[in-house]
């Protein structure tokens, strides 16, 4: 399997998805949203009964940027009609729009938990598996990682730590050690910003560890430090030795491919989070009409479902064309194109919780 998700995979756990979503989104409407969720719930119900004639209206209501607002809307719908929007999407909406809307209406942490679980229990190639796991664990803000750690046992009845042990040998595989270090860091302590003394200390140790092939030290430096610290260390090393640190790590034989993938993702994201996401997003655009569309959906939602419009500017500057132009150039169904473009162009709600942690 070359792609991340085969057709229909995203909703093959629909009963558990609904149960987990309900546990995460039980929240009374406090009047803080920019719309009345009760009114929206009735509008959505009426639209479902008139599909496919009102598909555009369904897109207008569900495809906006703001996870909490969408979660409250989904929760309110269930409270009124005793039916889940997720199940209604599966029953009434056609593919491929069905998959995008289902993915979008899942709570953000559950989306990532499902992708991680799929990677750990599917027949993906090791390279593909490591790329996706590295992207989620090494480039997610601390708040998002905490949510994933909370959601995972609700959905799969075991912790993410234990599930990682089923794939990676905790005694011999340093990739597991690296991931565990990052996950422990977000749940136990946070050291934001840059400590110059620690930065200089890590820089001196970084120089010696390549000679001594000290993998443990490398894992500690890049697994337990803040993003600002990692970015500064990367620049300091490159400027002093005129050598790209990422390329040097990739060439070292004492570092496994799994650990290399994790460290590369961590450095690239810490150094330039917006550019990292834009490059990833653009690389997935061509796969939307193939078997890897959920790879694209994940990057799209991760990149745009936040309160900052900078991602659109960076995308256009980097690729000389807008995300809308790229999508329109793909040979995909017009309804999914319209839904994605509506989502990308929608005004983000102030309550978005997917803001990139920079």
């Amino acid at each position: 399997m070359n792609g991340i998700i085969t057709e229909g995979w995203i909703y093959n756990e629909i009963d558990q998805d609904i149960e987990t979503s309900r546990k995460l989104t039980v929240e009374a409407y406090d009047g803080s949203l920019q719309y009345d969720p009760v009114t929206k719930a009735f509008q959505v119900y009426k639209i479902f009964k008139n599909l496919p004639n009102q598909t555009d209206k369904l897109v207008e209501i569900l495809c906006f940027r703001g996870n909490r607002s969408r979660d409250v809307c989904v929760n309110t719908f269930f409270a009124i009609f005793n039916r889940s929007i997720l199940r209604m999407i599966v029953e009434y909406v056609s593919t491929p729009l069905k998959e995008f809307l289902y993915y979008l209406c899942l709570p953000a942490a559950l989306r990532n938990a499902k992708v991680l679980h799929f990677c750990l229990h599917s027949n993906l190639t090791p390279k593909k598996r490591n790329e996706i796991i590295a992207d989620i664990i090494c480039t997610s803000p601390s708040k998002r990682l905490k949510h994933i750690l909370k959601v995972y046992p609700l959905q799969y009845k075991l912790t993410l730590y234990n599930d990682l042990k089923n794939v990676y040998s905790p005694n011999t595989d340093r990739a597991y050690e690296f991931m565990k270090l990052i996950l422990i860091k977000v749940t136990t302590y946070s050291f934001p910003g840059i400590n110059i003394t620690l930065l200089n200390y890590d820089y001196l140790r970084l120089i010696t560890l390549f000679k001594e092939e000290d993998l443990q030290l490398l894992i500690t430096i890049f697994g337990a430090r803040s993003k600002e610290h990692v970015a500064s260390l990367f620049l300091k090393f490159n400027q002093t030795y005129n050598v790209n640190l990422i390329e040097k790590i990739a060439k070292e034989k004492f570092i496994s491919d799994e650990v290399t993938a994790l460290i590369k993702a961590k450095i690239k994201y810490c150094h330039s989070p917006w550019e990292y996401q834009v490059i990833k997003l653009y690389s997935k655009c061509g796969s939307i009409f193939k078997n890897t569309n959920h790879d694209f959906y994940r990057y799209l939602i991760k990149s745009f479902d936040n309160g900052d419009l900078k991602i659109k500017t960076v995308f256009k500057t980097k690729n000389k064309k807008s995300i809308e132009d790229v999508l329109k150039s793909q040979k995909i169904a017009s309804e999914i194109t319209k839904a994605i473009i509506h989502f990308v162009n929608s005004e983000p709600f102030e309550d978005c919780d997917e803001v990139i942690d920079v």
Side-chain angles (χ1 to χ4, degrees), residues 134-135 138-139 260-270 276:
D135 177 71
C138 296
T139 72
T260 298
L262 291 164
I263 294 177
K264 285 173 63 176
K266 179 75 178 286
I267 294 176
K268 287 181 178 180
Y269 179 78
C270 293
Y276 171 87

Side-chain angles (χ1 to χ4, degrees), residues 19 45 62 97 160 194 213 328 353:
E19 181 180 344
Y45 185 82
L62 295 182
L97 182 60
L160 179 56
I194 302 171
E213 297 188 352
K328 289 176 181 178
D353 62 1

Side-chain angles (χ1 to χ4, degrees), residues 87-336:
R87 194 175 299 281
M88 298 286 279
I89 289 172
V90 171
E91 293 179 0
Y92 289 95
V93 182
S94 60
T95 304
L97 182 60
K98 170 169 58 179
E99 296 186 343
F100 178 67
L101 291 181
Y102 189 97
Y103 199 67
L104 188 63
C105 288
L106 289 171
L110 181 55
R111 291 185 216 126
N112 286 296
K114 286 172 70 68
V115 173
L116 283 172
H117 186 267
F118 181 86
C119 289
L120 293 171
H121 296 276
S122 70
N123 59 341
L124 290 176
T125 63
K127 181 178 180 180
K128 183 67 174 178
R129 181 194 68 195
N130 293 329
E131 174 194 341
I132 296 168
I133 292 177
D135 177 71
I136 295 176
I137 292 181
C138 296
T139 72
S140 294
S142 297
K143 179 181 177 182
R144 194 179 307 166
L145 282 176
K146 288 179 182 178
H147 289 169
I148 294 172
L149 289 172
K150 175 184 176 182
V151 168
Y152 207 91
L154 293 176
Q155 180 77 359
Y156 298 109
K157 314 308 178 188
L158 80 166
T159 65
L160 179 56
Y161 293 111
N162 289 334
D163 215 6
L164 287 169
K165 287 181 182 179
N166 295 332
V167 177
Y168 299 92
S169 172
N171 295 323
T172 60
D173 200 318
R174 295 301 182 87
Y176 169 81
E177 187 176 348
F178 188 88
M179 290 183 283
K180 183 178 180 181
L181 189 60
I182 292 177
L183 295 174
I184 290 175
K185 175 179 177 291
V186 303
T187 57
T188 56
Y189 69 93
S190 177
F191 184 69
I194 302 171
N195 181 300
I196 299 300
T197 302
L198 182 60
L199 178 65
N200 292 332
Y201 181 61
D202 279 349
Y203 171 70
L204 294 174
R205 295 199 299 171
L206 190 62
I207 295 172
T208 60
L209 72 81
F210 289 110
K211 297 178 181 179
E212 299 173 359
E213 297 188 352
D214 192 341
L215 183 57
Q216 179 61 50
L217 182 56
L218 188 72
I219 290 173
T220 300
I221 290 176
F222 290 104
R225 302 292 186 252
S226 70
K227 55 193 174 299
E228 297 91 351
H229 184 101
V230 171
S232 297
L233 189 62
F234 170 72
L235 290 174
K236 186 176 178 67
F237 187 93
N238 290 3
Q239 292 170 358
T240 303
Y241 290 94
N242 197 28
V243 175
N244 188 295
L245 180 58
I246 295 176
E247 295 177 359
K248 182 169 180 57
I249 290 173
K251 292 178 181 179
E252 295 293 336
K253 295 182 179 180
F254 74 95
I255 308 174
S256 67
D257 292 340
E258 290 85 357
V259 174
T260 298
L262 291 164
I263 294 177
K264 285 173 63 176
K266 179 75 178 286
I267 294 176
K268 287 181 178 180
Y269 179 78
C270 293
H271 174 58
S272 182
W274 294 108
E275 183 174 344
Y276 171 87
Q277 297 227 69
V278 163
I279 291 174
K280 285 286 188 180
L281 181 61
Y282 186 76
S283 69
K284 304 300 178 184
C285 283
S287 67
I288 187 172
F289 58 95
K290 299 179 182 178
N291 200 33
T292 56
N293 53 349
H294 279 274
D295 226 353
F296 172 80
Y297 294 163
R298 182 171 67 86
Y299 280 106
L300 179 83
I301 296 170
K302 177 182 178 181
S303 299
F304 282 92
D305 206 0
N306 61 73
D308 197 324
L309 299 177
K310 185 177 180 180
I311 190 72
K312 294 179 68 175
T313 303
V314 176
F315 189 98
K316 190 170 184 178
T317 302
K318 184 79 176 175
N319 302 300
K320 310 304 180 185
K321 58 179 70 174
S322 66
I323 181 67
E324 296 95 319
D325 292 336
V326 173
L327 290 171
K328 289 176 181 178
S329 67
Q330 304 296 327
K331 298 177 181 179
I332 55 178
S334 59
E335 61 178 15
I336 189 65

Side-chain angles (χ1 to χ4, degrees), residues 30-53:
D30 58 5
S32 63
L33 303 181
Q34 299 180 21
Y35 64 90
D36 179 5
V38 175
T39 300
K40 289 290 185 184
F42 278 98
Q43 289 176 342
V44 170
Y45 185 82
K46 184 177 180 180
I47 290 171
F48 273 126
K49 294 301 182 180
N50 290 281
L51 290 179
N53 296 330

